[in-house]
Amino acid sequence: MGPNLLLPSDFSFNLSLVVDIFMIVVLFFYNIFAILMTRQVKLLNRSFKTDAAPLLLFFAIVHLFLSLLVLLIAIINLL
Amino acid sequence: MLKTLVRSFIKNPEKAGFEGEDNDENILYIFRRAGITNVPWLISSLFLFLLPVFFNTFILEVNSGGHFSISAGTIFVINLFWYIFSSGYMFERFLNWFFNVYIITNKRIVDMDFNALLHRKISEAPLRNIEDITYSVTGTIQTLFDFGDINIQTAAEQRELEFEYISNPGKVQDILSDLVSAKRRSYGS
């Protein structure tokens, strides 16, 4: 890799903190989406009843749980 | 259950019902958009799942440059989020296909539209009020895979219902016409 003419040779910046905070904000809003999706699956299962209803609700709940888990991991990673 | 999950044409479905169904009402057919209409989002999903491979390569380049650094924990969180997001996208697209249904009962037709996470619309029309059924197949893809739209004109409050991207629309039109004729005969007798 050639010399970087824009930055001093001793310049360094830890992007992790910025990215961590950004990811926590994004994950927070994504969890809201996951909650809405779970709620919507419940309502749709009520509107249109099928034998696949429990499976779809299960996937929605697992998705919500994993979203919360990733948010928790992001917070722990920041700390 | 697998048939319920993947089929776009179900005759005499078992264990199916809908809100507002009468006690003496039987579901005769359930239609959904043709399975081929799911190909675009399946391809998008494959791309989404493969994207972290390129992203991680890019991050390695950034970290090796010496001026900027992203910790391994942060990279891990980003990857986890991306896979959760991709899974959520796939699930939402599948729900969009699964719950956009057209239900034909012995009394009426019901059109359930689920277009976005926060938008639902349910329309219905009695069979006896159906006046005209027209289908159209437009373009190369629809002709190749034999799917199209069915427009149903009614004398009900809901003047027009549209079944979009239905497989074998000619056969569905025929089924509907026969049901409407039978209903009119039973009312006439």
Side-chain angles (χ1 to χ4, degrees), chain B residues 30-80:
Chain B
I30 293 175
F31 302 113
R32 293 191 178 96
R33 293 195 300 254
I36 195 73
T37 60
N38 294 316
V39 169
W41 66 260
L42 284 170
I43 292 173
S44 304
S45 302
L46 182 65
F47 173 75
L48 286 176
F49 274 98
L50 290 176
L51 204 59
V53 173
F54 304 100
F55 168 76
N56 289 332
T57 308
F58 168 74
I59 289 297
L60 280 173
E61 283 292 320
V62 168
N63 277 354
S64 66
H67 294 296
F68 300 98
S69 64
I70 300 176
S71 69
T74 303
I75 296 172
F76 179 63
V77 167
I78 293 171
N79 278 276
L80 272 183

Side-chain angles (χ1 to χ4, degrees), chain A residues 8-9 11-16 19-20 23 26-27 30 33 37 40-41 43-52 55-56 59-60 63 66-67 70 73-74 77, chain B residues 1 4-5 15-19 30 32 66-71 73-74 77-78 80-81 84-85 88 91-92 94-95 98-99 101 103 112 114 116-118 120:
Chain A
S9 58
F11 176 82
S12 68
F13 179 70
N14 190 345
L15 271 178
S16 288
V19 175
D20 286 342
M23 286 308 302
V26 168
L27 278 162
Y30 188 78
F33 166 78
M37 181 186 279
Q40 188 67 311
V41 169
L43 291 172
L44 287 168
N45 280 334
R46 197 187 306 164
S47 295
F48 178 51
K49 305 176 184 74
T50 63
D51 54 359
L55 183 65
L56 293 174
F59 278 135
H63 172 256
L66 289 175
S67 302
V70 174
I73 291 172
N77 184 52
Chain B
M1 182 168 38
T4 311
L5 280 173
K15 299 178 189 174
F18 61 97
E19 207 170 18
I30 293 175
R32 293 191 178 96
H67 294 296
F68 300 98
S69 64
I70 300 176
S71 69
T74 303
V77 167
I78 293 171
L80 272 183
F81 165 70
I84 286 287
F85 169 78
F91 188 51
E92 193 274 334
F94 174 78
L95 290 176
F98 185 83
F99 283 109
V101 289
I103 301 171
M112 292 193 176
F114 165 55
L117 198 58
L118 300 174
R120 282 180 298 147

Side-chain angles (χ1 to χ4, degrees), chain B residues 25 114 133 142 145 160 183:
Chain B
E25 193 166 9
F114 165 55
I133 306 167
Q142 289 191 7
F145 293 99
E160 185 179 276
K183 198 68 177 175

Side-chain angles (χ1 to χ4, degrees), chain B:
Chain B
M1 182 168 38
L2 187 62
K3 285 183 185 176
T4 311
L5 280 173
V6 300
R7 289 176 71 177
S8 58
F9 180 105
I10 306 173
K11 184 178 178 182
N12 296 325
E14 297 170 2
K15 299 178 189 174
F18 61 97
E19 207 170 18
E21 186 178 0
D22 296 335
N23 292 333
D24 61 343
E25 193 166 9
N26 302 313
I27 297 179
L28 302 175
Y29 298 93
I30 293 175
F31 302 113
R32 293 191 178 96
R33 293 195 300 254
I36 195 73
T37 60
N38 294 316
V39 169
W41 66 260
L42 284 170
I43 292 173
S44 304
S45 302
L46 182 65
F47 173 75
L48 286 176
F49 274 98
L50 290 176
L51 204 59
V53 173
F54 304 100
F55 168 76
N56 289 332
T57 308
F58 168 74
I59 289 297
L60 280 173
E61 283 292 320
V62 168
N63 277 354
S64 66
H67 294 296
F68 300 98
S69 64
I70 300 176
S71 69
T74 303
I75 296 172
F76 179 63
V77 167
I78 293 171
N79 278 276
L80 272 183
F81 165 70
W82 192 256
Y83 283 117
I84 286 287
F85 169 78
S86 303
S87 305
Y89 169 76
M90 280 188 72
F91 188 51
E92 193 274 334
R93 299 307 305 162
F94 174 78
L95 290 176
N96 185 285
W97 175 81
F98 185 83
F99 283 109
N100 264 300
V101 289
Y102 311 108
I103 301 171
I104 316 291
T105 75
N106 56 326
K107 289 185 170 183
R108 53 184 154 165
I109 54 175
V110 180
D111 177 3
M112 292 193 176
D113 287 330
F114 165 55
N115 291 321
L117 198 58
L118 300 174
H119 179 261
R120 282 180 298 147
K121 179 182 169 189
I122 300 173
S123 311
E124 62 177 60
L127 285 174
R128 66 177 183 274
N129 285 349
I130 292 175
E131 294 181 331
D132 184 55
I133 306 167
T134 317
Y135 81 89
S136 60
V137 177
T138 311
T140 309
I141 302 294
Q142 289 191 7
T143 305
L144 198 60
F145 293 99
D146 191 23
F147 68 95
D149 301 339
I150 297 175
N151 282 289
I152 301 167
Q153 298 283 340
T154 78
E157 193 173 326
Q158 181 71 33
R159 300 293 300 178
E160 185 179 276
L161 293 173
E162 188 175 22
F163 291 8
E164 291 182 323
Y165 307 131
I166 299 291
S167 286
N168 210 342
K171 181 179 176 183
V172 175
Q173 183 206 34
D174 189 46
I175 289 169
L176 279 169
S177 296
D178 291 344
L179 284 171
V180 169
S181 300
K183 198 68 177 175
R184 287 208 176 123
R185 277 198 299 274
S186 69
Y187 268 90
S189 60

